[in-house]
Amino acid sequence: MPLRVNSELERLTAVLQREQQADGSWRYCFESGPLTDAYAIILLRTLNIPNEPLISGLAKRIASRQAPDGTWKLYPDERDGNLSATIESYFALLAAGAAAPSDERLQAARRFIRAKGGLAQANLGTRVMLALTGQHPWPPFPIPAEFMLVPPFFPLHLFDLVGFARVHLVPIMVAAARTFAVRPRQMPDLSDLSRGLPSAGPEQPDLIWFHELIDSGIRSLPSFLRPARELGLREAERFLLDRLEPDGTLYSFFTATFLMIFALLALGYRPDHPVIIRAVRGIERLVCPVGDVLHMQNSTSTIWDTALLSHALQTAGMPVSHSVIQQATRYLLSRQHNRYGDWARRSPGVPPGGWGFSDINTINPDVDDTTAALRALHRAGSGDPAIRQAWDRGLRWLLSMQNSDGGWPAFERNTANPLVKLLPAGGAEAAFTDPSTADLTGRTLEFLGNHAGMTLQHPAVRRGVDWLLRHQEANGSWHGRWGISYLYGTWAALSGLIAAGVSPDHPAIQKGVSWLRSVQNRDGGWGESCQSDVLKRYVPLGASTPSQTAWAVDALTAVSRKPGPELEAGVRFLLAAGKRRDWTLSYPTGAALPGGFYIHYHSYRYIWPLLALAQYRNKFQP
């Protein structure tokens, strides 16, 4: 096996050398379900922007993902199809002119939509899109624009929500306040999808408490600020414009930019306003080819991919003097943040120093991308003062992001106001907050222990370890927020605890190892369904995926004093997986919004097997 491991590491290294871009980055597709493709078609048609090659390529991808029963799904094994994804895809194919309502494939989708209750039963985001485009009445419970004016000292205010939630919620508040809708003549009519069906949507919570809370907040303002509706709209406009990225997108997200464009139209902007034109140009640059079709990425994953791949290649033996690593290092240094963002509200006095997920992201750094970049810079920093300075800034920013409970969030610290979960939106807690999670906390501890020389003697590490130990599941696993799901969280927690200096014999670690062994597949690999993320319990996929197997192999490598049969079987699976070309390579193992958004990272077939095999070799076959 030693020779085979080295051979696979060499193969992966050669592939990555060929695929590095001239600027030192790696640019792999960040592929999700049909939502972004559908919304892009709907937006371009609404604005009457003639980009037929793009619309045709997006429509072709949407059509290619329709299931035989006429539905669309967020992941292949989703049960019964996904109502919202099917509505969005149906709408987009009609808007694109890629299919007629009489086509059997759309008739099958129509039957499914009506059988599930029609447009009114879609999720909130889909119903907002349908309201914006004049296809369905506005949902009856919009959070009012006056919420923009609630002062920060109040029990619940806008900045109690995490940044990615704010940039989606604020434009909805604007459009809802104006009950704005735009429906050009050429757009299809979806009224037949609800005709004769009950008009009420999913049952919503009582909103009296929320409106009373906002009213009391407004009453605390000076009297000249009391005409709250228009002032709230102007504050919302300023909020959106202040968070534009240089390429014109809002926070670098397609979905937020889509909503912002409709909000600006609601405020009186013309479709040819420079801000809207620049925003459209920005999202058009998010398109990536997937075979012979096109996909609208919600954002790019360039920083994430580049940082992880540079670190993995170095772990596999590529020296920092190699041109591949030097180019990647220069690229990462050029993308370190120098601007203050909303994160600074909860980390006063801390200078910028993090990294974001996307190459166009300049104001929304996150913990995971920052640790990934710092890992990639670790070896190079010892001999270069400029790199060392960047490292120090990044490390300071990272430590400042630790939550008061000892864990780490993704984007902003201490956004866990319990009132947020009572907001009138389905899944508000998952969508609007950024709590400590096992994956972020574990991966941060792994970085601090293995790359920053910080162990249990450091207070931040000690508190992080305590958080992980408190949040282990009864069966020994940990839940991961940003990957699927218990395999991801357990890998991050085990490797983080070991790096922090916790003994492999600790009961929590042994319990986690036992759980990993218990869910290993017969082929030696591991595979978990996206249903785990929805049900909040482990659901086996019924097959093994390379990325999830690599996570388990890396965890077992970290905790093992010598390779056992389960670890060896996992390594053998990874060695064979490099030759596979089946659906397990494209199964989404990244998560963003529980029950709503899952990601197939095209880079993951390289990153995680390369890193896991290199760690295994370095420890057991040096």
Side-chain angles (χ1 to χ4, degrees), residues 329 333 377-392:
T329 297
L333 290 174
L377 299 177
H378 177 227
R379 292 181 176 88
S382 59
D384 188 320
I387 297 176
R388 186 68 205 187
Q389 184 180 35
W391 164 279
D392 290 341

Side-chain angles (χ1 to χ4, degrees), residues 27 53 76 79-80 84 95 114 132 137 157 183 218 240 274 278 301 329 366 379 405 448 453 473 482 524 542 580 598:
R27 296 177 183 270
R79 298 174 182 175
D80 302 327
S84 289
R114 288 186 57 83
L132 289 168
H157 58 88
R183 184 170 154 188
I218 298 301
L240 296 174
R278 195 159 62 96
S301 57
T329 297
D366 67 90
R379 292 181 176 88
D405 64 8
L448 294 175
E473 303 285 330
W482 301 97
R580 298 174 71 164
Y598 297 98

Side-chain angles (χ1 to χ4, degrees), residues 23-301:
D23 64 358
S25 68
W26 281 272
R27 296 177 183 270
Y28 290 103
C29 194
F30 177 76
E31 187 178 4
S32 58
L35 182 151
T36 49
D37 300 333
Y39 283 34
I41 291 171
I42 292 164
L43 176 66
L44 293 172
R45 287 293 192 237
T46 299
L47 297 177
N48 196 27
I49 295 177
N51 191 336
E52 297 310 311
L54 174 56
I55 290 172
S56 175
L58 296 173
K60 188 175 180 181
R61 178 176 183 267
I62 293 172
S64 72
R65 293 174 68 91
Q66 188 175 20
D69 63 0
T71 66
W72 277 264
K73 301 181 178 184
L74 301 182
Y75 48 91
D77 56 323
E78 186 175 21
R79 298 174 182 175
D80 302 327
N82 186 281
L83 175 60
S84 289
T86 302
I87 291 170
E88 292 158 354
S89 299
Y90 178 94
F91 185 6
L93 289 179
L94 289 176
S102 59
D103 288 357
E104 176 51 35
R105 56 183 175 162
L106 289 197
Q107 284 294 310
R110 179 181 179 275
R111 289 192 292 271
F112 170 80
I113 294 168
R114 288 186 57 83
K116 290 292 185 180
L119 304 182
Q121 298 304 316
N123 67 34
L124 175 62
T126 304
R127 283 183 288 135
V128 165
M129 180 275 291
L130 294 170
L132 289 168
T133 54
Q135 301 288 348
H136 193 263
W138 266 96
F141 52 90
I143 298 172
E146 289 87 338
F147 189 45
M148 297 295 305
L149 303 178
V150 172
F153 57 79
F154 224 63
L156 181 66
H157 58 88
L158 182 68
F159 286 92
D160 279 326
L161 280 56
V162 69
F164 61 78
R166 291 193 296 270
V167 296
H168 288 84
L169 179 63
V170 169
I172 295 173
M173 289 160 51
V174 170
R178 294 281 171 87
T179 56
F180 177 78
V182 56
R183 184 170 154 188
R185 291 181 182 178
Q186 70 271 22
M187 292 296 274
D189 179 2
L190 304 186
S191 59
D192 65 308
L193 295 178
S194 293
R195 190 174 295 122
L197 298 174
S199 59
E203 184 177 347
Q204 301 302 330
D206 183 359
L207 300 184
I208 294 176
W209 73 271
F210 184 63
H211 289 286
E212 288 180 347
L213 180 69
I214 292 176
D215 288 343
S216 62
I218 298 301
R219 288 195 299 271
S220 72
L221 296 171
S223 58
F224 67 88
L225 292 178
R226 299 286 172 78
R229 173 57 56 90
E230 288 304 313
L231 284 172
L233 290 173
R234 293 307 154 198
E235 179 63 19
E237 179 184 12
R238 185 197 63 77
F239 174 93
L240 296 174
L241 297 179
D242 284 352
R243 286 156 181 80
L244 294 179
E245 291 288 359
D247 71 337
T249 60
L250 177 61
Y251 245 43
S252 77
F253 297 141
F254 166 82
T255 46
T257 307
F258 171 92
L259 294 169
M260 177 193 72
I261 290 171
F262 279 93
L264 295 178
L265 293 173
L267 290 172
Y269 285 57
R270 292 178 54 82
D272 60 355
H273 190 284
V275 172
I276 292 179
I277 294 298
R278 195 159 62 96
V280 172
R281 297 292 175 260
I283 61 178
E284 286 177 337
R285 287 190 286 270
L286 294 174
V287 174
C288 73
V290 182
D292 62 346
V293 301
L294 297 177
H295 176 52
M296 178 63 71
Q297 301 172 102
N298 196 47
S299 67
T300 64
S301 57

